[in-house]
Amino acid sequence: MDTIITSKDLQNHLDDFRNSQKSIGLVPTMGYLHDGHLSLIRKAKSENDAVVTTIFVNPLQFSETEDLDIYPKDIEKDTFLASDSGSDFLFTPTYEEMFCDDLLTTVSVQELSSVLEGASRPTHFSGVATIVAKLFNIVGVCSAYFGEKDWQQLQVIKRMAQDLSYRVEIKGCPIVREKDGLAMSSRNVYLTNDQRKEASNIPESLWKAHEKIKNGERQSTVIKGIISERLDRSSMIDIDYVELVNGENLTITDEIDELTRVLVAVRVGTTRLIDNMNALEGINL
Ligand code: AMP
């Protein structure tokens, strides 16, 4: 695996690949790789001739009160893991490489960005979309792999790619979970042992809700109630939102159907965690 820090260098390598009709898979990340990220790299490798993994802790998607300065990093381990999972290039641009000047151009995907996560993090998705747009432009024609863990992000990026005619195929990949069901996240390291134990209530609440749906319940309010009740049992968990939405346009759904996505965001101490499932498919615990 080659580690590359400039866009020009990456483009030169990728042009060579494309000139010989080879396909490229792109996996954008903020690093501190775990099995969730690695599942994207493996999937990309299984479907393409070459995989580019990017690591860039994107300041645009953090608000002033968020954890940009303390976001976990371990570039040595990441380099080993990315290579071991089949990545051919690791693109680790510096801040200056990505923002040689202050950006005067940004990308925002209206409507999809202002609800759910966007309600409490108003600038988050335009930060994500802007940086992903830059990566798409740097990498060019490719398939890009994103986790369903960040469901809303996946919808925002799909829509951006469609609206702006990117020659990039967006591929959503299933959530990878810890043994107790907690969705893997680089931020899980912030949790104390007690908080980590309590965090397993998040997947359990989704599992319980899905049991009810399997038994025929179709009213969103009932399902929201089951999840909230389960999460409220833990004094360490503060609910930000529990919502049932149309999984594509993210509008609130009263009645559950095959497109319904159940989305949860909570704070455990100061750590914000999110999770989601398809209402009819549920999650594997
Ligand atoms: P991040 O480094 O958190 O920005 O995540 C980079 C990519 O990995 C995004 O597409 C995430 O949705 C995806 N990802 C993060 N955690 C998981 C997980 N537990 N399962 C699947 N994909 C994930």
Side-chain angles (χ1 to χ4, degrees):
M1 185 180 73
D2 288 331
T3 298
I4 295 178
I5 51 173
T6 69
S7 309
K8 196 91 225 110
D9 196 11
L10 182 64
Q11 282 167 332
N12 288 339
H13 277 88
L14 297 181
D15 285 348
D16 290 346
F17 264 88
R18 265 187 296 258
N19 288 340
S20 47
Q21 313 302 320
K22 288 186 172 158
S23 63
I24 292 160
L26 168 65
V27 181
T29 81
M30 296 206 298
Y32 209 67
L33 303 181
H34 52 64
D35 273 342
H37 299 114
L38 304 184
S39 73
L40 307 185
I41 298 174
R42 289 192 200 105
K43 178 84 173 146
K45 188 65 176 183
S46 72
E47 296 182 350
N48 297 278
D49 297 308
V51 175
V52 182
T53 303
T54 71
I55 296 182
F56 182 64
V57 183
N58 170 24
L60 299 183
Q61 69 188 69
F62 290 77
S63 75
E64 275 174 16
T65 57
E66 288 179 333
D67 54 348
L68 174 63
D69 293 338
I70 55 158
Y71 197 81
K73 291 181 186 64
D74 190 341
I75 192 64
E76 255 177 51
K77 189 170 169 209
D78 286 353
T79 304
F80 169 77
L81 290 173
S83 170
D84 193 51
S85 304
S87 189
D88 298 274
F89 301 103
L90 186 65
F91 182 49
T92 57
T94 58
Y95 179 85
E96 291 71 26
E97 177 68 19
M98 290 303 264
F99 307 113
C100 49
D101 236 330
D102 281 347
L103 294 187
L104 299 183
T105 311
T106 57
V107 179
S108 68
V109 181
Q110 308 293 327
E111 293 176 24
L112 296 183
S113 298
S114 56
V115 295
L116 302 163
E117 289 298 285
S120 51
R121 308 173 78 193
T123 56
H124 175 70
F125 287 114
S126 97
V128 172
T130 301
I131 218 72
V132 172
K134 281 174 76 75
L135 290 174
F136 285 179
N137 285 323
I138 293 167
V139 171
V141 176
C142 65
S143 296
Y145 295 78
F146 294 89
E148 291 182 351
K149 149 100 181 348
D150 299 280
W151 183 262
Q152 186 174 5
Q153 170 175 284
L154 176 60
Q155 305 319 307
V156 166
I157 288 165
K158 275 187 181 166
R159 189 59 193 248
M160 176 189 81
Q162 180 189 311
D163 287 357
L164 298 183
S165 307
Y166 277 106
R167 293 172 67 187
V168 175
E169 195 176 342
I170 310 298
K171 310 259 192 161
C173 303
I175 301 174
V176 177
R177 298 178 178 280
E178 303 285 357
K179 279 205 182 79
D180 65 353
L182 181 66
M184 287 191 182
S185 165
S186 306
R187 290 191 164 98
N188 291 351
V189 293
Y190 298 149
L191 301 171
T192 63
N193 288 341
D194 286 346
Q195 290 172 338
R196 174 63 191 80
K197 276 186 206 137
E198 290 295 296
S200 64
N201 281 299
I202 304 164
E204 272 169 31
S205 71
L206 291 177
W207 188 81
K208 279 239 165 296
H210 179 247
E211 286 293 290
K212 189 84 178 167
I213 296 167
K214 254 188 357 198
N215 291 332
E217 181 57 62
R218 289 294 176 271
Q219 292 302 311
S220 296
T221 47
V222 175
I223 297 307
K224 278 169 70 165
I226 289 171
I227 295 171
S228 303
E229 189 272 327
R230 177 84 202 187
L231 295 173
D232 280 339
R233 277 193 216 169
S234 168
S235 59
M236 289 189 191
I237 296 180
D238 286 321
I239 298 175
D240 184 354
Y241 60 78
V242 175
E243 273 317 341
L244 280 78
V245 300
N246 173 300
E248 286 169 4
N249 63 26
L250 306 182
T251 54
I252 295 201
T253 319
D254 294 328
E255 285 220 6
I256 293 166
D257 63 25
E258 65 282 355
L259 277 184
T260 306
R261 207 81 199 173
V262 184
L263 296 145
V264 172
V266 302
R267 268 179 208 288
V268 184
T270 53
T271 306
R272 198 158 180 288
L273 300 175
I274 55 173
D275 204 343
N276 71 83
M277 66 173 179
N278 174 288
L280 297 184
E281 289 167 12
I283 63 171
N284 296 322
L285 276 191

